[in-house]
């Protein structure tokens, strides 16, 4: 097997897993991220990770996990990819356990599993209320071994600027910028793996990390790489607003028995249990979010007239709240000054996850040769709505699968020195132009960032309509013509320009899907349509964004 020289961009769970699996096979990895892995969004994951382990004799199976995932995603997931994901899930948990993840155990010493949304079986393994942190610590420790063996080299403080493509549009490396020193450097590679997480910054203060700036996906769009299902944005039903940002009350709170209610005619009304007796508050996230929206915005039954309903865990044993849900306890006491063992938690849906992103096939290959995408930045597993606990699984699985695929590849050596020199020169020229043109008469990039988030939040809510989407397009076009300055950072300047562009792709995707499915609800088209049981693909060609719809298992020809 050939040894490859691979760039992995992004050091959360997916990037770490891929790096470990590549290094295990003797490949050389350079791993880039703006900050250490311990600060990636993956450590924020609390609730758990799904696998049909059947540890409790709950009559679960990988095929049931598959069916739940496809149903949750409303059938526009890549079916082949989901099959692999759900079949491999038990082995992934076994691996995580073997490398030291401290999963919570049941009374028989088996890995405990809890209920999560959209799944009829207890399928979600967890490590206290800090699953992401525990899993990441275990994989990160593995990675250190390969760092010592010089198979992995970390670059902290670096952000992606552009891909280096040869004349045949094959990826031969990338250009990155050091955020602190503004050094711009090119890196040649046999393969590049993008693992940069969700497109959070487009929407501002959401539940995820703002480190995930969407800049890489935005640049890839400009370099004509195909993106998919951008309109599929998950609203988590139970977020809370704090002065700093939106924060999450994990689905585990409902998995452990937490109930949602509002007050109607002076009484507690458990609307989810009345509307959906089978799963109640544990319906898939899109359904719960729409139900809360209906209670507050259509029935005007939000608590005290506000857009809020209550999530109640106060009747659960105190130990469940303080130990199994310790992060919920911590968030409520620290940010809301509220004791959830006594009082209900005021919640409302908020943007949480991106089902869409860089289109890949089931081997995590993108539309460009030698370029892979894994984790939340990529689109294949979750369709129109992700099930809780499937994202950590998807991130780790993506890392496994991309590494396997890269291991199988044969290296074709060619001299790319000239192409690499030219791309670096191009980026350096842009930097020099920016330096020369700075003037504070222009609008600050921070102001534009806030405006952008406001436009996008307004247009891409739980319900969308063509008029608002088109109005937002007009606002983006105006924003695009703004003269923007960013004294502090060249990267911020490049970023905001590319984010406006990416935002247009979000809107165009939403305008073109003329139906309501999962996370995408169109007021004018309230029904699901068979015509759109497909993946929305958007690609830029000659400065034009072209939308098409692929069959979900389409042979993508790459
Ligand atoms: C509060 C919260 C709770 C969650 N709970 C769960 C849960 O219980 N179960 C579950 O399955 N999922 C959960 N999720 C979702 C899950 O955590 C993520 O989807 C998953 O961890 C993503 O992993 P990743 O490797 O794709 O990305 P991340 O962990 O987000 O890592 C992205 C990496 O890319 C780097 N990066 C970003 N932008 C750039 C750039 N421009 N250039 C270079 N590098 C860049 C980042 O610094 C980081 O290193 C939760 C999410 C949140 C926010």
């Amino acid at each position: 097997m050939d040894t490859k020289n691979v760039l992995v961009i992004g050091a959360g769970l997916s990037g770490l897993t891929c790096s470990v699996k590549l290094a295990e096979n003797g490949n050389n990895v350079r791993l880039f991220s703006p900050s250490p892995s311990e600060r990636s969004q993956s450590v924020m994951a609390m609730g758990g990770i799904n696998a049909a382990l059947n540890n409790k004799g709950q009559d679960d199976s990988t095929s049931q996990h598959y069916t739940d995932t496809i149903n949750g995603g409303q059938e526009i997931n890549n079916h082949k990819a989901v099959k692999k994901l759900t079949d491999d899930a038990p082995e992934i948990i076994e691996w995580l356990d073997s490398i030291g993840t401290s999963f919570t155990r049941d009374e028989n010493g088996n890995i405990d599993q809890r209920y999560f949304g959209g799944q009829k079986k207890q399928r979600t393994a967890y490590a206290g209320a800090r699953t992401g942190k525990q899993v990441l610590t275990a994989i990160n420790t593995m990675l250190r071994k390969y760092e010592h063996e010089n198979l992995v080299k970390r670059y902290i403080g670096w952000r992606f600027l552009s891909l280096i493509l040869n004349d045949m549009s094959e990826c031969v490396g990338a250009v990155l910028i050091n955020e602190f020193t503004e050094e711009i450097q090119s890196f040649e590679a046999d393969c590049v793996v993008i693992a940069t997480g969700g497109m959070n910054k487009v929407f501002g203060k959401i539940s995820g990390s703002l480190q995930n700036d969407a800049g890489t996906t935005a640049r890839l769009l400009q370099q004509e790489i195909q993106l998919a299902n951008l309109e599929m944005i998950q609203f988590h039903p139970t977020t809370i607003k704090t002065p700093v940002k939106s924060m999450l009350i994990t689905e585990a709170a409902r998995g452990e028995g937490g109930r949602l209610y509002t007050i109607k005619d002076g009484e507690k009304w458990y609307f989810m249990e009345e509307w959906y007796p089978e799963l109640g508050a544990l319906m898939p996230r899109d359904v719960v979010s729409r139900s809360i929206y209906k209670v507050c915005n259509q029935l005007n039954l939000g608590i005290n007239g506000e857009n809020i309903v209550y999530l109640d865990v106060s009747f659960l044993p105190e130990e469940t709240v303080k130990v199994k849900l310790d992060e919920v306890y911590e968030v409520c006491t620290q940010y809301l000054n509220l004791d959830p063992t006594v009082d209900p938690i005021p919640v409302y849906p908020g943007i949480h996850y991106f089902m869409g992103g860089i289109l890949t096939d089931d081997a995590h290959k993108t539309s460009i040769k030698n370029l892979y995408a894994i984790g939340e930045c990529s689109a294949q597993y979750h369709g129109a709505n992700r099930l809780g606990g499937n994202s950590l699984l998807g991130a780790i699985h993506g890392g496994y699968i991309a590494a396997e695929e890269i291991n199988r590849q044969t290296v074709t050596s060619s001299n790319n020195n000239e192409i690499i020199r030219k791309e670096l020169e191009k980026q350096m020229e842009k930097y020099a132009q920016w330096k020369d043109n700075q003037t504070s008469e222009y609008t600050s990039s921070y102001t534009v960032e806030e405006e952008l988030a406001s436009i996008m939040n307004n247009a891409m809510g739980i319900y969308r309509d063509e008029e608002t989407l088109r109005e937002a397009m007009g606002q983006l076009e105006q924003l695009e013509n703004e003269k923007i300055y960013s004294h502090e950072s060249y990267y911020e300047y490049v970023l905001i320009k590319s984010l406006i562009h990416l935002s247009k792709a979000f809107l165009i995707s939403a305008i073109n899907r003329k139906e309501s499915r999962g996370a995408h609800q169109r007021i004018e088209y309230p029904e699901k349509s068979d015509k759109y049981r497909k993946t929305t693909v958007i690609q830029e060609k000659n400065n034009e964004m072209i939308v098409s719809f692929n069959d979900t298992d389409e042979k993508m020809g790459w």
Side-chain angles (χ1 to χ4, degrees), residues 102-305:
S102 49
F103 283 113
T104 301
R105 306 265 159 182
D106 65 14
E107 54 289 358
N108 301 316
N110 296 322
I111 291 175
D112 199 10
Q113 290 187 282
R114 55 172 40 136
Y115 286 109
F116 244 49
Q119 311 187 83
K120 291 182 193 125
K121 309 286 179 187
Q122 287 163 284
R123 187 179 293 143
T124 308
Y126 60 100
R130 288 164 215 282
T131 311
K133 192 170 176 183
Q134 296 291 350
V135 171
L136 185 132
T137 306
I139 303 178
N140 210 15
T141 309
M142 287 277 291
L143 192 85
R144 290 211 178 95
K145 172 174 167 284
Y146 297 112
E147 279 187 87
H148 288 305
E149 291 173 15
N150 288 327
L151 285 168
V152 176
K153 182 165 189 260
R154 287 196 203 237
Y155 290 73
I156 292 173
W158 292 78
R159 287 197 186 260
F160 177 87
L161 272 187
S162 69
L163 287 179
I164 308 173
L165 303 173
N166 68 13
D167 296 341
M168 278 124 69
S169 285
E170 295 166 344
C171 177
V172 295
V175 178
L176 288 102
I177 182 167
N178 184 311
E179 274 196 301
F180 306 116
T181 61
E182 298 216 312
E183 178 192 353
I184 296 174
Q185 214 178 305
S186 58
F187 299 87
E188 189 174 9
D190 300 311
C191 296
V192 174
V193 181
I194 307 291
T196 46
M199 293 172 279
N200 302 352
K201 208 159 189 177
V202 171
F203 292 87
K205 293 173 183 170
I206 64 169
S207 66
S209 162
L210 281 180
Q211 246 190 69
N212 293 353
D213 62 18
T216 309
T217 309
R219 289 288 300 126
L220 294 192
L221 174 70
Q222 290 172 316
Q223 293 192 275
E224 303 192 347
I225 281 92
Q226 293 181 354
L227 308 185
N229 290 342
L230 291 184
E231 68 279 22
M232 297 303 175
I233 301 168
Q234 180 163 77
F235 280 74
H236 193 290
T238 60
T239 63
I240 56 169
K241 289 260 176 295
T242 73
V244 197
K245 68 193 287 285
S246 161
M247 292 183 90
L248 194 73
I249 302 296
T250 169
E251 192 161 285
R254 283 170 287 134
E256 293 294 337
R259 301 175 77 186
L260 286 168
Y261 73 84
T262 190
I263 303 294
K264 185 165 104 174
D265 302 329
E267 303 274 328
K268 288 179 183 171
W269 178 36
Y270 296 95
F271 51 92
M272 287 306 296
E273 292 159 41
E274 189 177 308
W275 288 339
Y276 303 97
E278 200 184 350
L279 282 177
L282 277 178
M283 286 296 285
R285 290 177 179 174
D286 58 326
V287 179
V288 186
S289 291
R290 279 201 299 283
S291 302
I292 297 174
Y293 180 92
K294 183 172 172 182
V295 166
C296 297
N297 304 73
Q298 291 168 351
L299 304 176
N300 293 323
L301 284 173
I303 302 288
N304 298 326

Side-chain angles (χ1 to χ4, degrees), residues 10-11 13-14 34 41-42 45 47-48 160 211-213 376 389 391-392 491:
L13 266 182
S14 59
Q41 180 177 295
S42 289
F160 177 87
Q211 246 190 69
N212 293 353
D213 62 18
E376 190 172 336
S391 169
L392 292 181
Y491 181 74

Side-chain angles (χ1 to χ4, degrees), residues 62-77:
T62 55
S63 61
Q64 187 61 53
H65 186 184
Y66 168 83
T67 306
D68 287 346
T69 303
I70 299 289
N71 287 343
Q74 306 258 325
E75 296 181 84
I76 61 162
N77 333 50

Side-chain angles (χ1 to χ4, degrees), residues 481-500:
N481 292 327
E482 289 269 2
K483 292 198 158 142
I484 301 170
Y485 81 89
S486 164
H487 276 325
E488 290 82 5
S489 141
Y490 169 65
Y491 181 74
E492 280 296 322
Y493 169 77
V494 177
L495 176 67
I496 191 63
K497 290 271 190 195
S498 66
L499 290 194
I500 298 171

